[in-house]
Amino acid sequence: MSGSLKTIQDEMARIALEIEKHDRAYYELDQPLITDAEYDALFRKLQRLEEQYPSLASPHSPTKRVGGKALEQFRKSKHGIPMLSLSNALNEEEWIAFDERLHRFLEATVDQQFEYLAELKFDGLSINLTYENGLLSRAATRGDGETGEDVTDNIKTIRSIPLKLRTANPPEKIEIRGEIVLPIEAFLALNRDQVERGEKTFANPRNAAAGSLRQLDSKITASRPLTGFFYGVGEVTGFTLPKTISAFEDLLETWGFSVGKQKRICVGSKSVIEFYREVEAMRDSLPFEIDGVVVKLNSFSAQQTAGFIARSPRSMIAFKFPPKKSVTLIEDIQVQVGRTGALTPVAIVSPVNVSGVMVKRATLHNQDEIDRKDIRIGDHVVIQRAGDVIPEVVEVLKEKRRGDERRFRIPDSCPVCGSSVTREPGEAVSRCSGRNCIAKLKERIKHFAQKDALNIEGLGDKIVDQWVDEGLVKHLHDLFELNYDDLVSLEGFADKSVRKILKAIDASRTPELYRLIFGLGIRHVGETTAKQLALHFKSMNRLINAGRDQLMEVDGVGDEMASSILAYFSNPEHREELEVLLPKLELIEPKPSEKAQIFEGKIFVLTGTLPNLGRSEAEKIIEDHGGKVSGSVSKKTTFVLAGEEAGSKLEKARSLGVPVIDEADFQALLRGH
Ligand code: IVH
């Protein structure tokens, strides 16, 4: 290299160092040393030099943080050491049970209290960073735990993540694990932007973080203020780790990583509970979301002795917080009419943020629930969101009443069609008795078109509402009679969109039998029962003509379900509808299975999220091979197939001694190992 080039390269390295110093001051210490304009000038200077002398540009230059060329797709990236998951404790008893189990496993006496590191459980997505000789060489998402997606370009845009470890003696190679999160403020701002641009909003900060990181165009990632917290280690070569995880995290901090500030070395299970309660109390004041604390045996060697169970370390646990609650005001109560005519009272509440999601409605279930909790319009209430389910009202703050709150009663006539509302003795639900209720029809069609039923792509709720309101669809089979001219004049439709939706409808004409059975929306018949019915009867006609005794032979069909199936098929309107619908479909009926029935007599319970297989996929494989899937763990269960975030079923399995397997074990069973 000529002397002058060397000078330029030195200059580039100097500016890079300068920028890194300012990044640290700004992102980690919150104490900028120069103005934004000065920083930008420095940054642009380096960019210009790199454009002029591309061969001198370092792959670890801070300019890489603004994102580069968009990718076609992510490359796969195999982790040096697999990324495992954690088992959960959902309350203090379960935490104590964990500590006791660990004592038994490590043959420790009760008075030998373990030293734990307790820290925040960041609610984001896990990431594996590989540094070689101190330089960030690869960043991968968790994926199935063995192999993730290479998101290096995107990770480089996150300024709080060091591109270079701040140490003179870096390991030859080290995998550093942590969590990428989007702070709550940034999440709310992002959603405001999305609304303005007419794009979909994110349900919560975790989804937004995942959506931001998994962008093929790293410029988009660069525009989202992601950050990361680091807490773990994978493969290491050429380096001796400290003896404890707490000392390792201290080291990470000196290397330039953000580690959670709230953490404590706790001796004994009581001390962990104290920390847990303290963190829970300050949870809402943190700028990012957490969903619990993670507790780890502090000593690496003790962790190793404890080993693993079903791909979770025995030495660590996610000690989760109960679902988040918020207080809001009931502005009104409205009634929704469902597919079977059920009237559900829904509280319209003042919009409130419940763990990162804006909630405007909460279900009140039925009249009995309203009466039991004495819920009135104008009441201040506590609402709760558990997982992804619709929020519900848990409690009324009666002390906040002013006397003008109004009681609510489900009306005697349907708010949509005006027909009378009936309530069967012994049932909590009131139903619209109208035969032609438009609300019912809309819900029936939405149910029929949904992904797990006929799977008509693109036929969303709004379109169904429109088609029913326009009188284009009065029965399920009308969907298959729609033509170009019917749709092209509708608002929101044009040539391309009409062709697309007609194509999607056409593509749905060959469903598997169970999809149609489920899609009909027979009361009490969910997807699982629909599959059982399809397997048992193997044809629609046989099912339609089945008597009570034949129905009761099917797994999972009891008296109530049999009655409801009989009622559905004896309804003349349903029979007429099926007479027209069936000839339009080409049903795929289950054949006597050709697959080896290796799971015959075996009962599986699924829990948590599997890394590769979707839940329905796993169920299908089990059923195709002669096995059964059950919803709850009992002594009869052969295997519990557990994935990430597995909950109480896992604990139950352990307490009953039912073997727990993960997806890899399951695949091995399938292959006959
Ligand atoms: S330790 C064997 N520490 O929670 C996995 N995980 O539910 C060891 N997480 O996959 C993980 N904060 O993505 C650990 N302080 C923390 C964490 C944490 C969040 C995530 C991580 C893990 C998931 C398990």
Side-chain angles (χ1 to χ4, degrees):
M1 189 184 290
S2 78
S4 64
L5 281 186
K6 179 84 183 78
T7 321
I8 293 165
Q9 194 173 33
D10 286 349
E11 170 71 355
M12 285 161 80
R14 191 192 60 74
I15 305 176
L17 268 179
E18 181 84 10
I19 292 175
E20 277 166 26
K21 181 176 86 187
H22 292 304
D23 277 345
R24 249 186 339 267
Y26 186 92
Y27 289 102
E28 288 166 40
L29 312 173
D30 245 352
Q31 280 171 347
L33 305 170
I34 52 175
T35 64
D36 286 359
E38 284 166 329
Y39 179 89
D40 287 345
L42 207 55
F43 204 87
R44 273 201 302 275
K45 189 164 169 195
L46 183 58
Q47 271 178 324
R48 266 199 309 275
L49 283 171
E50 288 178 347
E51 274 162 28
Q52 249 177 310
Y53 303 97
S55 63
L56 302 184
S58 154
H60 304 286
S61 161
T63 59
K64 296 286 177 282
R65 295 198 188 277
V66 295
K69 252 181 46 212
L71 301 172
E72 296 277 320
Q73 63 173 61
F74 294 113
R75 276 197 306 267
K76 295 255 172 268
S77 172
K78 192 164 167 29
H79 307 304
I81 287 184
M83 294 178 81
L84 305 180
S85 46
L86 291 176
S87 49
N88 292 329
L90 300 178
N91 50 47
E92 295 182 0
E93 289 74 50
E94 290 188 12
W95 153 251
I96 292 168
F98 166 87
D99 178 62
E100 287 172 357
R101 238 182 357 257
L102 197 54
H103 272 80
R104 283 197 298 277
F105 190 82
L106 295 177
E107 295 177 350
T109 60
V110 187
D111 43 82
Q112 284 172 293
Q113 297 198 322
F114 288 151
E115 182 179 292
Y116 292 108
L117 174 68
E119 60 185 11
L120 304 183
K121 180 163 178 354
F122 304 100
D123 198 7
L125 71 153
S126 33
I127 193 83
N128 184 24
L129 306 179
T130 308
Y131 287 82
E132 285 170 88
N133 299 313
L135 295 179
L136 175 63
S137 59
R138 200 150 34 133
T141 60
R142 181 177 185 283
D144 63 4
E146 303 282 339
T147 306
E149 283 175 329
D150 184 330
V151 288
T152 313
D153 291 346
N154 293 351
I155 284 293
K156 282 186 176 169
T157 70
I158 304 177
R159 290 178 190 246
S160 60
I161 294 180
L163 301 175
K164 234 185 272 167
L165 300 182
R166 230 187 291 150
T167 165
N169 301 305
E172 198 175 299
K173 183 171 174 189
I174 186 165
E175 289 184 322
I176 293 167
R177 271 100 194 250
E179 200 83 356
I180 301 298
V181 302
L182 187 67
I184 296 170
E185 278 301 319
F187 158 73
L188 296 172
L190 174 61
N191 267 356
R192 281 195 296 272
D193 278 3
Q194 294 285 102
V195 171
E196 247 165 53
R197 282 195 300 255
E199 298 199 8
K200 246 182 72 194
T201 54
F202 295 99
N204 53 48
R206 175 163 34 87
N207 289 359
S212 302
L213 190 63
R214 296 190 66 262
Q215 285 286 343
L216 290 166
D217 182 352
S218 52
K219 289 213 170 55
I220 301 182
T221 312
S223 73
R224 311 256 171 98
L226 294 167
T227 188
F229 292 99
F230 293 84
Y231 46 70
V233 59
E235 193 184 357
V236 200
T237 51
F239 192 77
T240 312
L241 287 176
K243 292 206 165 17
T244 59
I245 183 89
S246 58
F248 176 69
E249 289 191 11
D250 292 345
L251 186 63
L252 282 181
E253 199 169 7
T254 67
W255 283 353
F257 292 94
S258 309
V259 294
K261 287 202 179 62
Q262 293 77 11
K263 55 171 136 190
R264 186 174 301 161
I265 295 174
C266 298
V267 179
S269 67
K270 281 214 182 73
S271 156
V272 169
I273 291 178
E274 265 168 42
F275 175 78
Y276 172 86
R277 289 184 185 163
E278 282 171 36
V279 173
E280 193 182 7
M282 55 160 221
R283 181 182 184 190
D284 288 335
S285 60
L286 290 172
F288 45 81
E289 294 227 306
I290 57 171
D291 56 347
V293 300
V294 178
V295 192
K296 312 170 178 182
L297 262 188
N298 200 17
S299 145
F300 277 128
S301 67
Q303 281 185 15
Q304 204 150 30
T305 317
F308 305 91
I309 180 162
R311 305 191 62 75
S312 311
R314 242 192 221 100
S315 53
M316 301 182 191
I317 195 153
F319 188 177
K320 297 253 214 157
F321 294 136
K324 257 182 111 170
K325 296 176 182 174
S326 295
V327 174
T328 184
L329 175 80
I330 298 193
E331 295 177 355
D332 194 11
I333 297 180
Q334 294 178 355
V335 172
Q336 258 176 11
V337 185
R339 170 186 102 228
T340 59
L343 302 191
T344 308
V346 176
I348 309 300
V349 299
S350 307
V352 59
N353 189 325
V354 190
S355 51
V357 175
M358 283 312 276
V359 170
K360 298 187 192 113
R361 305 157 73 82
T363 179
L364 302 175
H365 301 292
N366 54 53
Q367 186 70 51
D368 289 352
E369 278 289 296
I370 296 181
D371 296 345
R372 195 172 60 77
K373 294 179 183 153
D374 188 16
I375 297 167
R376 304 179 192 178
I377 299 169
D379 266 339
H380 283 88
V381 290
V382 178
I383 61 174
Q384 152 177 310
R385 203 170 57 94
D388 281 331
V389 300
I390 319 162
E392 58 174 357
V393 171
V394 263
E395 178 194 358
V396 175
L397 302 177
K398 295 202 174 126
E399 64 280 8
K400 288 210 166 197
R401 281 196 177 149
R402 297 185 327 196
D404 57 355
E405 294 76 18
R406 286 179 291 133
R407 289 181 197 270
F408 174 83
R409 284 219 68 77
I410 290 195
D412 295 331
S413 53
C414 171
V416 178
C417 73
S419 306
S420 62
V421 166
T422 55
R423 186 171 162 181
E424 303 275 320
E427 269 216 30
V429 184
S430 313
R431 283 175 209 282
C432 159
S433 63
R435 296 194 159 203
N436 301 315
C437 179
I438 279 201
K440 267 200 232 181
L441 178 61
K442 286 178 179 171
E443 295 312 310
R444 280 191 76 204
I445 292 174
K446 290 172 195 172
H447 180 83
F448 184 71
Q450 70 172 288
K451 194 160 159 271
D452 295 329
L454 275 266
N455 191 16
I456 306 181
E457 234 172 281
L459 185 53
D461 291 0
K462 280 211 181 103
I463 300 183
V464 173
D465 290 347
Q466 180 193 36
W467 290 0
V468 172
D469 289 336
E470 295 283 338
L472 287 170
V473 178
K474 296 194 173 75
H475 303 98
L476 300 178
H477 53 76
D478 291 337
L479 286 172
F480 299 101
E481 278 156 31
L482 291 169
N483 59 39
Y484 186 90
D485 294 336
D486 290 334
L487 302 181
V488 78
S489 54
L490 293 181
E491 202 187 313
F493 278 94
D495 178 67
K496 215 169 135 191
S497 45
V498 172
R499 286 178 200 283
K500 198 165 158 199
I501 197 123
L502 287 175
K503 203 168 152 206
I505 293 175
D506 213 36
S508 73
R509 282 178 201 262
T510 51
E512 287 135 306
L513 175 58
Y514 84 85
R515 289 178 176 270
L516 173 67
I517 300 176
F518 172 59
L520 290 177
I522 306 169
R523 253 169 86 189
H524 306 302
V525 177
E527 203 188 340
T528 313
T529 313
K531 283 183 185 166
Q532 297 289 5
L533 290 167
L535 265 177
H536 188 92
F537 292 105
K538 299 205 164 48
S539 96
M540 196 64 205
N541 275 329
R542 265 189 294 239
L543 171 63
I544 293 175
N545 297 317
R548 178 176 293 274
D549 291 346
Q550 284 164 296
L551 286 168
M552 302 272 286
E553 278 170 23
V554 180
D555 260 343
V557 176
D559 217 20
E560 193 181 34
M561 182 118 57
S563 300
S564 137
I565 299 171
L566 288 170
Y568 187 94
F569 291 120
S570 58
N571 180 329
E573 282 171 44
H574 292 153
R575 288 194 92 106
E576 273 167 39
E577 186 174 53
L578 280 164
E579 256 165 53
V580 191
L581 176 65
L582 287 176
K584 296 188 187 299
L585 301 177
E586 225 180 284
L587 289 172
I588 304 176
E589 295 172 346
K591 301 221 168 19
S593 176
E594 292 142 22
K595 304 218 168 81
Q597 300 293 291
I598 50 169
F599 291 154
E600 196 165 324
K602 306 231 176 338
I603 304 175
F604 288 75
V605 172
L606 306 184
T607 176
T609 315
L610 297 175
N612 293 306
L613 293 172
R615 210 183 176 84
S616 48
E617 236 179 316
E619 283 176 10
K620 186 164 183 321
I621 295 176
I622 293 169
E623 284 159 3
D624 282 353
H625 289 83
K628 282 185 192 154
V629 179
S630 155
S632 57
V633 182
S634 73
K635 278 201 213 118
K636 288 195 198 141
T637 311
T638 323
F639 292 115
V640 169
L641 174 52
E644 204 173 356
E645 307 272 281
S648 56
K649 288 180 190 164
L650 199 56
E651 294 300 315
K652 180 96 187 274
R654 285 176 187 160
S655 67
L656 291 174
V658 172
V660 177
I661 58 170
D662 65 8
E663 190 183 303
D665 301 331
F666 177 68
Q667 299 284 11
L669 280 177
L670 263 180
R671 289 191 301 269
H673 298 312

